[in-house]
Amino acid sequence: MPDIRRIGVFLGGTALLIALGVSVSPARPEPVAPDDDPFYSAPSDIAEHAPGSLLNHREISIFGLPIRVSTWHLQYRTTGPEGRPVAAVATVMVSASPWPGPGARPLLSYQVAEDSLGTRCAPSFALHGGRDSAVSSTAIETPFIVDALRRGWAVVVPDYQGPESRFLDGANSGRAVLDGIRAARTFAPAGLSAASPIGAWGYSGGAFATLWAAQLRRTYAPELPIAGVTAGGIPTDLATMARNADGGAQAGLSMLIVLALIRNAPGSELAGLLNDRGRAALSEAAGSCGLDLLTRYSDVHLDEYSKTPELLSQSAFAAAARQQELGDDTPDMPLYLYHSTTDETIPIAGFDTLTQRYCGPKSTVIAHRSGAAGHKTTALVEAPGGMAFLADRFAGEPLAPGCSVS
């Protein structure tokens, strides 16, 4: 049994070093931001390509990882809002060391908590060497990616919010994750194949995209045999999350939730609830990362931006939020879920409800109610358990169907 506390401290220290290194390193120029980089532009014939088709690729050098890897940006076709074909980008990393086996090299789809309204916050930009607040989430989560690479796994990190940075658009995110896996598996230089075991992992906003992909796999990508999914700190009950943050130090999260839901459905009644100050905030937020909004809107109340008191109690907000809630479909692969009982950002009650929805007669679910202190600490402390679960699935270790909650 690994010393979870020791591993958690190691990962936390590594994350801090990487974040500091990225922010101050003068060794290389910052890459062109996605909105100004022609690589991210969709080809004119994108509609002629099937979902998951590779559209373009380029080899990149990745910032300061303590391991030798080959890294590429893949541009691929996915399915955006209203079924529109759109071009997404994913970063694929493969260790320079040969896979020790047995079997084919596994592929882990790792979803970073992008939590943004702008493409400069995308993981592909951060992994290529982007700086400032745009890279904070990716830098903090990089140690988990490094752990997977050290095991010999290939890793694909999709910009699952897509070219429009649609935070909290579940179906859009889930399809982009699945199509990123499709593109990575067919990219010959990565050395993967149809025999490569597939896993998926995400924490917080990354867990949202991961589980939407798990729910959609059966209907959208039935040919992808996902061996297992790990997800922690799962965003559930968006209304409660927003109320919990409103007026406090994390009030920027409540703003992010409301503004994202409006951007994802601009014609909804929710947009009509904003006052002049709210409409200005919506415009100002374009291109912002989550950290930007947390800083900008600390301690504010949503009612300052609304025509109607108690915006979060309005039916228009409830309708917009309901469309993005997890749990309407049950994933058909083994799940390892974890969440802190003292999570200050996403209350545990929503996790318990989601677990109950996923725990059907044919489900295979391990749900862990963690005693770790809070949202960020749990990401570190519980990572070894999530990693071990995926390693066992890749190794073909048997796991009896059923639902286990501890």
Side-chain angles (χ1 to χ4, degrees):
M1 186 90 174
D3 183 339
I4 293 179
R5 181 174 298 177
R6 178 177 62 82
I7 294 174
V9 171
F10 165 74
L11 292 176
T14 305
L16 179 60
L17 289 173
I18 290 174
L20 289 175
V22 171
S23 64
V24 302
S25 174
R28 55 186 294 183
E30 186 171 8
V32 177
D35 283 350
D36 300 316
D37 187 341
F39 180 82
Y40 289 78
S41 299
S44 59
D45 65 346
I46 188 171
E48 299 174 17
H49 297 267
S53 296
L54 186 64
L55 303 174
N56 200 357
H57 71 276
R58 66 184 177 189
E59 189 166 10
I60 65 167
S61 58
I62 197 169
F63 72 77
L65 294 187
I67 184 174
R68 289 192 307 118
V69 296
S70 297
T71 309
W72 302 267
H73 277 163
L74 306 186
Q75 186 194 52
Y76 60 97
R77 193 270 206 200
T78 188
T79 306
E82 293 84 46
R84 290 186 282 109
V86 298
V89 171
T91 307
V92 172
M93 292 162 275
V94 181
S95 171
S97 302
W99 165 242
R105 187 192 294 270
L107 172 64
L108 173 65
S109 182
Y110 188 89
Q111 283 61 250
V112 169
E114 191 171 340
D115 300 357
S116 73
L117 299 176
T119 58
R120 73 182 182 88
C121 321
S124 64
F125 180 57
L127 291 168
H128 199 191
R131 302 191 183 116
D132 68 50
S133 62
V135 310
S136 57
S137 293
T138 303
I140 289 170
E141 297 192 48
T142 298
F144 309 133
I145 297 172
V146 171
D147 192 1
L149 291 168
R150 281 182 169 148
R151 293 168 183 263
W153 305 347
V155 179
V156 56
V157 180
D159 295 351
Y160 56 81
Q161 291 186 183
E164 299 173 6
S165 296
R166 295 174 69 91
F167 177 55
L168 292 181
D169 186 333
N172 180 74
S173 297
R175 292 189 295 257
V177 170
L178 295 169
D179 285 326
I181 294 171
R182 282 169 160 161
R185 282 214 306 174
T186 59
F187 182 59
L192 301 168
S193 71
S196 295
I198 302 168
W201 186 9
Y203 189 82
S204 194
F208 178 82
T210 299
L211 289 175
W212 265 98
Q215 291 184 176
L216 292 171
R217 188 215 68 86
R218 186 189 303 109
T219 55
Y220 186 76
E223 83 283 4
L224 295 181
I226 298 179
V229 165
T230 288
I234 304 164
T236 54
D237 192 348
L238 300 180
T240 297
M241 281 179 59
R243 290 191 188 96
N244 191 56
D246 191 33
Q250 295 192 72
L253 175 60
S254 60
M255 287 291 293
L256 178 59
I257 290 172
V258 170
L259 296 181
L261 293 176
I262 289 174
R263 283 187 56 182
N264 293 346
S268 71
E269 294 180 7
L270 181 57
L273 297 181
L274 296 181
N275 59 20
D276 289 344
R277 190 176 179 187
R279 287 189 291 273
L282 181 63
S283 176
E284 292 168 2
S288 296
C289 300
L291 183 60
D292 299 332
L293 297 183
L294 285 175
T295 302
R296 187 182 306 160
Y297 295 109
S298 178
D299 300 319
V300 306
H301 289 272
L302 280 171
D303 281 355
E304 300 171 31
Y305 300 85
S306 172
K307 294 178 182 178
T308 307
E310 300 294 331
L311 181 149
L312 297 175
S313 297
Q314 300 301 314
S315 59
F317 174 81
R322 178 68 190 85
Q323 293 180 34
Q324 307 305 337
E325 294 289 354
L326 289 159
D328 283 348
D329 295 296
T330 301
D332 59 354
M333 71 288 292
L335 305 177
Y336 182 87
L337 312 176
Y338 55 99
H339 202 100
S340 172
T341 57
T342 58
D343 193 312
E344 74 286 2
T345 302
I346 309 172
I348 186 69
F351 174 79
D352 292 338
T353 299
L354 181 64
T355 299
Q356 293 171 7
R357 289 177 178 169
Y358 281 167
C359 284
K362 298 181 180 179
S363 301
T364 304
V365 179
I366 298 173
H368 178 48
R369 305 175 85 251
S370 174
H375 190 73
K376 293 180 180 178
T377 300
T378 302
L380 297 174
V381 172
E382 298 299 341
M387 186 69 77
F389 174 82
L390 290 169
D392 286 346
R393 305 290 74 75
F394 289 159
E397 293 290 335
L399 185 64
C403 188
S404 170
V405 180
S406 62

